[in-house]
Amino acid sequence: MLMQQVHVSNPSSSCLILQKPCLRDITHPSFQLWSRPSSFPNQRKQKRVSYGCRSNGNKIKAVAVTEAENKSVKVKATITVQPTVGGIFSEMAIERGLDDIKDLLGQSILLELASTELDPKTKLEKETIKDYAHSKHRSAQEVKYEGEFEVPDNFGEVGAIFVTNEHHREMFIKDIVLDGFLLGPVKFTCESWVHSKYDNPAKRVFFSNKSYLPSETPEGVKRLREEELEQLRGNGQGERKSFERIYDYDVYNDLGDPDSSDDLKRPVLGGNQHPYPRRCRTGRPRCDKDPLSEKRSSTVYVPRDESFSEVKQLTFSTKTLSSGLKALVPALKTLIVDKNLGFPVFSAIDDLFDEGLYLPPLKGIRSILPRLVRHIKDIQEDILLFDPPATMNKDRFFWLRDEEFGRQTLAGLNPCCIQLVTEWPLKSKLDPEIYGPAESAITTEIVEREIRGFNTVEEAIKQKKLFILDYHDLLLPLVKDVRELEGTTLYGSRALFFLTREGTLRPLAIELTRPPMDGKPQWKEVFTPCWHSTGVWLWRLAKLHILAHDSGYHQLVSHWLRTHCATEPYILATNRQLSAMHPIYRLLHPHFRYTMEINALAREALINGDGIIESSFSPGKHSILLSSIAYDQQWQFDLQSLPKDLISRGMAVEDPTAPHGLKLIIEDYPYANDGLVLWDALKTWFTEYVNLYYADDGSIVSDTELQAWWEEIRTVGHGDKKDEPWWPVLKTKLDLIDIVTTIAWTTSGHHAAVNFGQFSFAGYFPNRPTIARNNMPSEDPSDAEWELFLEKPEVIMLKCFPSQIQATTVMTVLDILSNHSPDEEYLGETVEPAWEEEPLVKAAFEKFRGKLIELEGIIDARNADRTRRNRNGAGIVPYELLKPSSEPGVTGKGVPYSISI
């Protein structure tokens, strides 16, 4: 008979009600293994193997006492495996017959239970208890295997399970449940791929759900913890295989394809010449023509558990994106033969939403893109038909209004670039010997003419009324190179805005600048809103140019660089330096799911040489170089924090009496209003979590894994900026809280704000053209060009807009990128298994969930408030991009945990 004896140091502890051993101040049992496996891969998603709670004051100890050491208990292990497209249950698998035989023989999966305790006599690891699991149940949704174990009463707690996949193909294990113990079933939630032993004989290990700081790790687990991390780091050698789980660093040297064409050679991003974050190393061979570049391939390696395409439903957005790009884009190129063909009239743009484009026969295209491709039964043909975006549905002429131009800088797709004007006159910091006179052409007289009756420029700056979108110095050095490309142009640009009494931004002036080039001096001109027809059309064209610049900056910097690209080093360092048992690993894990997979796809088809971005956005083949320049000149880790970002742009000042400790300069700033509530909810949740695991600041400094993690992020993942003075130190709990909140905000709130509104705001491309193809008609015009502008200004605008192939390709991609999967994992919606098993952590998470539900109501109330003119009014789409939850589809709301699309 097995009895439970409990020693209690504080009988008032609430943990006794749960009848589960408490984890806070226990001397944790440890385990070692009889034989040392050669590999200890990291788990991706785990659940309970033992119970516990954390408490600062109560000390509870649970031990098992047996009447006879030779007694044992029968334990049944149930393994749930999910059938996958290419896994062990694929009907097309050549090895399927052999695997079926193994299932019949009951030798499908070998399990080994490992004890947390050492042998009391030898002080060595106890021998693992082994058994084969055999197939018991099979359906379309899951396959269950069962194994039975005789577990001696003196074996101790099961701390780990080793899995050997005896099949010839990998399998996806959802969970393992051990039934038969006195305290109830023990569950390991795996959610992970397990390789075939024929690919790699190393066993796969899944640990218990207890979180340990390195200093608290039981002696028997220390070696496993260290060796697991060593295996995950790899040795930096060889080409990575698809089943591997190796996390290593490399530069961005795989965006070009010089072996195919000299024109597809691209600079290496990462290093002194072109600073950049690091990406995951694949180990592919180098190009024949350029030894600095890596050969491209049809598939891009990511560590196996970062890949999801065969696990996620077929409607998952990134699978759709991959298939859509490979099938639809080539079809569009055959349909629209002339890549420079523009839209002849505005009604032809509307036809994309009303009539659609007839597609050539494409097998399976409707199942891949059911939202975009419709079948016309009468003629038995497929058409590409776009749903009108929400903005267009509300107001078909929204894109023409200057008020909407100003509003979208605060509540649109790129609301994180507007900044306060603090110095006058405006002046370039570029070398005037190269780029011409530094003084802006936006003079005091021009501004005061536009704000006549309100303020002088001096008063407007003092009262914080002038704001600017400034891409002048960032773009001007690229103008000459971009203008050498076919079908596009570029300027350095600025747009100035005035804050009205109603709290809205009124556009005042747009400046476009061309540097000295081709024997011509610097050209710059200022365009303002006008009542005369010529001025009206010049103003509209100037808006087209700066909106194209804003679109490029949004996609390449606000979106790709600040979220996708900057986050990959965090993921690599977390898996390389933080054990899966580390509480910070478990805190950040949901914020990293699937990001490496979507980043690999981006390198394959979006940001690569001649990819979607290069072929359809203003910087053309220099697009990714622009991203590197912005990283070098502008990116700072500390400024990825929302409060510090707002302060740095002059959009807020610190005020302890104000909500969130900040006073916004523009009170109705929807991105900041909603974002700060979300930021505070994240920070409060992380504060409670960190305080549960770290007793004091000293435990932060002494956490060897944590310090190595932060060191690697700074000096390797973002190594080109390792010597910058703005990097936060990691010495206190507050330091850690700020760091993890910044990372989580980047992957959740910031990414949602710049991604899921893409189709709503840019689906009707005249509102946010991605490219401007022709110069302003007032820049060195010939008589014929100027005459055409005066006779047919609409034709000039249509020629400047993206071509038909550019517009339809971008619209297709933006529709997919804005789409939520039916199985999206929204922030705060589902508690992580490791959090659920710790009562105090679960309680903190439930408070976090409650704050997110409250945020939903706050956003609804703000959108209904008529005084908030930047989110309420005739034809205005409510600002919901930071509303935490959403239904599937293109909704313009919903904040997932991670960058999963």
Side-chain angles (χ1 to χ4, degrees):
M1 176 179 180
L2 181 67
M3 300 184 300
Q4 183 181 19
Q5 182 175 339
V6 181
H7 302 279
V8 184
S9 60
N10 183 350
S12 64
S13 171
S14 61
C15 291
L16 284 178
I17 299 174
L18 301 174
Q19 295 182 347
K20 299 175 181 178
C22 184
L23 301 180
R24 178 61 179 172
D25 292 310
I26 298 176
T27 302
H28 296 290
S30 60
F31 70 86
Q32 292 180 333
L33 300 180
W34 191 260
S35 60
R36 180 179 304 205
S38 61
S39 174
F40 300 93
N42 188 16
Q43 73 192 73
R44 301 304 304 152
K45 201 173 181 187
Q46 315 163 5
K47 202 166 183 177
R48 148 171 80 79
V49 68
S50 58
Y51 303 87
C53 65
R54 293 193 168 265
S55 168
N56 289 323
N58 299 329
K59 295 183 178 181
I60 302 174
K61 196 170 185 178
V63 299
V65 177
T66 62
E67 292 181 343
E69 289 188 1
N70 60 352
K71 288 192 175 182
S72 63
V73 60
K74 286 188 176 182
V75 174
K76 181 177 75 172
T78 303
I79 308 170
T80 303
V81 175
Q82 181 172 328
T84 58
V85 175
I88 62 172
F89 303 108
S90 170
E91 296 294 339
M92 301 301 294
I94 297 173
E95 300 92 345
R96 175 65 188 273
L98 295 174
D99 291 339
D100 282 346
I101 294 172
K102 282 187 173 290
D103 283 351
L104 292 173
L105 295 175
Q107 295 181 344
S108 306
I109 304 171
L110 177 62
L111 298 183
E112 299 181 48
L113 308 186
S115 174
T116 60
E117 299 177 3
L118 299 177
D119 187 303
K121 296 178 180 179
T122 65
K123 304 302 181 183
L124 300 175
E125 303 156 348
K126 292 184 178 181
E127 185 176 358
T128 59
I129 303 174
K130 304 179 182 180
D131 187 46
Y132 279 103
H134 48 278
S135 178
K136 278 291 185 180
H137 167 77
R138 180 178 295 184
S139 69
Q141 289 73 40
E142 62 184 22
V143 180
K144 289 190 179 294
Y145 291 82
E146 290 183 4
E148 291 189 353
F149 300 88
E150 290 283 341
V151 181
D153 287 345
N154 63 354
F155 184 72
E157 181 183 354
V158 177
I161 296 180
F162 285 89
V163 179
T164 301
N165 175 11
E166 300 282 343
H167 291 98
H168 288 75
R169 297 175 69 84
E170 64 183 355
M171 62 171 58
F172 188 83
I173 297 182
K174 295 174 68 176
D175 57 46
I176 303 173
V177 179
L178 302 180
D179 278 306
F181 293 111
L182 179 64
L183 293 179
V186 178
K187 186 176 181 181
F188 294 72
T189 300
C190 309
E191 294 289 336
S192 181
W193 293 96
V194 177
H195 58 265
S196 165
K197 76 173 187 179
Y198 299 100
D199 289 328
N200 183 356
K203 303 169 185 176
R204 180 67 192 278
V205 63
F206 294 103
F207 291 104
S208 77
N209 210 42
K210 290 182 181 178
S211 295
Y212 299 108
L213 298 179
S215 60
E216 297 175 347
T217 310
E219 288 298 320
V221 182
K222 283 185 176 179
R223 176 181 61 81
L224 298 177
R225 184 172 186 146
E226 293 168 1
E227 290 189 2
E228 174 200 18
L229 289 173
E230 289 175 4
Q231 294 295 328
L232 288 169
R233 294 172 194 144
N235 60 10
Q237 302 297 315
E239 185 171 358
R240 296 272 67 87
K241 299 178 177 63
S242 61
F243 61 82
E244 292 180 323
R245 301 167 62 249
I246 304 297
Y247 295 79
D248 201 0
Y249 297 95
D250 208 342
V251 293
Y252 279 77
N253 61 352
D254 64 341
L255 301 180
D257 190 6
D259 288 348
S260 296
S261 168
D262 290 340
D263 192 52
L264 290 178
K265 182 178 179 179
R266 295 293 180 269
V268 174
L269 302 187
N272 293 334
Q273 189 173 3
H274 301 296
Y276 217 56
R278 298 303 189 259
R279 50 97 172 173
C280 182
R281 178 185 177 277
T282 67
R284 289 179 293 187
R286 297 303 177 92
C287 292
D288 299 328
K289 292 184 178 180
D290 179 15
L292 295 178
S293 297
E294 185 175 278
K295 282 184 180 291
R296 295 177 59 79
S297 57
S298 58
T299 58
V300 181
Y301 166 82
V302 295
R304 191 62 184 104
D305 280 342
E306 305 296 334
S307 178
F308 55 84
S309 58
E310 292 186 2
V311 179
K312 284 290 186 179
Q313 298 180 25
L314 293 178
T315 53
F316 191 64
S317 300
T318 41
K319 186 174 183 68
T320 302
L321 178 60
S322 177
S323 302
L325 291 178
K326 292 175 181 177
L328 186 58
V329 173
L332 290 173
K333 289 182 178 179
T334 61
L335 186 68
I336 307 171
V337 178
D338 183 358
K339 67 178 183 178
N340 295 315
L341 181 65
F343 291 88
V345 290
F346 271 92
S347 59
I349 300 174
D350 293 343
D351 285 346
L352 295 174
F353 306 96
D354 300 330
E355 298 180 7
L357 289 172
Y358 288 90
L359 293 172
L362 293 169
K363 185 177 181 181
I365 189 66
R366 272 179 284 128
S367 63
I368 296 172
L369 299 169
R371 177 180 150 86
L372 295 176
V373 178
R374 321 289 170 83
H375 184 65
I376 308 301
K377 292 182 179 179
D378 293 343
I379 57 176
Q380 293 297 308
E381 287 194 48
D382 291 335
I383 63 169
L384 177 67
L385 183 65
F386 295 95
D387 288 338
T391 45
M392 184 183 178
N393 257 343
K394 284 265 187 178
D395 179 358
R396 209 168 185 89
F397 303 103
F398 76 106
W399 65 282
L400 276 171
R401 292 188 287 112
D402 286 348
E403 183 275 336
E404 182 68 6
F405 175 39
R407 188 186 78 85
Q408 286 185 29
T409 65
L410 302 171
L413 188 54
N414 191 30
C416 47
C417 287
I418 189 74
Q419 54 187 313
L420 182 70
V421 174
T422 57
E423 297 180 355
W424 193 265
L426 301 174
K427 203 170 183 181
S428 171
K429 294 181 174 61
L430 298 174
D431 186 350
E433 293 294 323
I434 300 174
Y435 299 104
E439 294 76 15
S440 170
I442 303 178
T443 62
T444 298
E445 293 73 24
I446 290 174
V447 175
E448 290 185 349
R449 184 176 71 235
E450 292 301 315
I451 61 174
R452 188 185 307 118
F454 289 91
N455 301 87
T456 64
V457 169
E458 183 179 355
E459 290 170 340
I461 292 176
K462 186 177 180 180
Q463 296 173 20
K464 299 183 177 180
K465 296 284 189 180
L466 286 183
F467 297 82
I468 192 169
L469 278 179
D470 194 349
Y471 301 124
H472 184 278
D473 286 8
L474 185 70
L475 296 180
L476 200 61
L478 292 175
V479 168
K480 187 177 187 301
D481 289 338
V482 170
R483 287 194 173 200
E484 291 175 355
L485 304 176
E486 180 188 2
T488 188
T489 190
L490 192 65
Y491 294 98
S493 62
R494 299 184 178 101
L496 196 66
F497 301 84
F498 179 73
L499 181 63
T500 68
R501 292 191 179 98
E502 293 79 20
T504 60
L505 287 180
R506 179 161 69 87
L508 297 179
I510 294 171
E511 179 182 18
L512 301 177
T513 305
R514 179 199 68 200
M517 55 181 289
D518 301 331
K520 298 177 182 178
Q522 182 195 68
W523 176 89
K524 64 176 70 169
E525 188 170 346
V526 177
F527 305 90
T528 59
C530 189
W531 294 99
H532 183 264
S533 60
T534 300
V536 166
W537 276 102
L538 287 173
W539 169 250
R540 288 172 178 171
L541 290 168
K543 277 202 302 182
L544 188 162
H545 280 274
I546 197 165
L547 284 169
H549 304 162
D550 191 61
S551 293
Y553 187 92
H554 159 261
Q555 201 64 261
L556 291 160
V557 182
S558 301
H559 186 191
W560 164 254
L561 174 65
R562 290 183 62 179
T563 65
H564 291 260
C565 185
T567 296
E568 188 146 337
Y570 310 150
I571 302 171
L572 292 169
T574 299
N575 284 278
R576 288 167 53 86
Q577 300 297 342
L578 296 183
S579 166
M581 293 182 280
H582 199 291
I584 300 304
Y585 174 94
R586 286 180 166 149
L587 179 66
L588 291 176
H589 175 242
H591 292 283
F592 295 155
R593 289 191 185 115
Y594 320 130
T595 300
M596 291 180 69
E597 174 87 345
I598 188 63
N599 285 2
L601 176 59
R603 303 205 315 273
E604 184 183 351
L606 293 175
I607 64 168
N608 61 300
D610 203 32
I612 303 299
I613 300 298
E614 284 197 3
S615 62
S616 304
F617 284 75
S618 279
K621 67 182 293 184
H622 306 290
S623 292
I624 202 66
L625 182 60
L626 172 65
S627 179
S628 172
I629 295 169
Y631 178 72
D632 183 32
Q633 297 179 4
Q634 300 176 353
W635 189 89
Q636 295 185 199
F637 178 86
D638 57 331
L639 297 186
Q640 306 314 299
S641 153
L642 176 61
K644 291 181 180 178
D645 170 53
L646 293 171
I647 292 170
S648 74
R649 290 189 283 119
M651 303 302 292
V653 293
E654 293 187 77
D655 183 353
T657 66
H660 320 294
L662 292 182
K663 177 178 174 55
L664 292 176
I665 303 304
I666 301 176
E667 293 183 11
D668 182 19
Y669 184 2
Y671 166 72
N673 296 138
D674 300 351
L676 285 170
V677 179
L678 181 55
W679 171 273
D680 279 359
L682 280 166
K683 188 169 184 178
T684 301
W685 149 234
F686 288 169
T687 298
E688 293 191 42
Y689 185 95
V690 167
N691 286 335
L692 287 169
Y693 286 99
Y694 291 93
D696 51 36
D697 292 342
S699 59
I700 297 289
V701 176
S702 63
D703 187 335
T704 54
E705 288 185 4
L706 190 70
Q707 294 297 327
W709 167 76
W710 185 235
E711 176 77 6
E712 186 166 289
I713 286 174
R714 293 186 297 109
T715 63
V716 183
H718 286 276
D720 295 337
K721 288 180 168 281
K722 65 179 183 298
D723 298 322
E724 298 287 354
W726 40 254
W727 280 108
V729 296
L730 181 51
K731 294 183 177 179
T732 69
K733 292 196 289 183
L734 290 178
D735 296 335
L736 177 58
I737 291 164
D738 283 341
I739 288 169
V740 295
T741 305
T742 298
I743 291 174
W745 160 257
T746 297
T747 67
S748 58
H750 179 83
H751 180 258
V754 299
N755 182 75
F756 291 105
Q758 290 193 86
F759 190 75
S760 293
F761 287 102
Y764 186 71
F765 69 84
N767 181 58
R768 289 188 64 82
T770 59
I771 194 168
R773 295 193 292 155
N774 294 320
N775 296 340
M776 288 291 295
S778 55
E779 182 196 340
D780 304 330
S782 67
D783 291 342
E785 289 171 336
W786 185 254
E787 188 66 27
L788 178 61
F789 167 67
L790 294 178
E791 289 293 323
K792 292 283 186 179
E794 180 180 322
V795 171
I796 298 296
M797 175 172 278
L798 288 166
K799 285 185 174 182
C800 196
F801 275 147
S803 67
Q804 291 190 34
I805 185 66
Q806 289 170 333
T808 52
T809 298
V810 170
M811 289 166 66
T812 300
V813 172
L814 296 188
D815 184 277
I816 298 169
L817 292 178
S818 303
N819 193 66
H820 283 296
S821 165
D823 51 3
E824 188 74 89
E825 298 177 68
Y826 295 103
L827 195 65
E829 187 175 61
T830 305
V831 61
E832 286 292 291
W835 307 341
E836 190 174 29
E837 295 305 323
E838 296 279 11
L840 294 179
V841 174
K842 184 180 179 183
F845 176 80
E846 291 298 334
K847 286 192 283 184
F848 172 58
R849 189 208 304 263
K851 289 186 177 182
L852 297 181
I853 294 173
E854 183 181 358
L855 176 56
E856 300 259 345
I858 291 172
I859 291 174
D860 286 340
R862 287 172 173 171
N863 287 329
D865 185 349
R866 293 185 178 181
T867 67
R868 295 180 180 267
R869 298 196 175 192
N870 291 316
R871 60 198 305 161
N872 182 291
I876 289 178
V877 174
Y879 189 78
E880 297 184 314
L881 288 171
L882 291 173
K883 205 169 186 179
S885 63
S886 173
E887 60 273 12
V890 179
T891 64
K893 59 183 177 181
V895 183
Y897 272 105
S898 62
I899 305 163
S900 58
I901 183 62

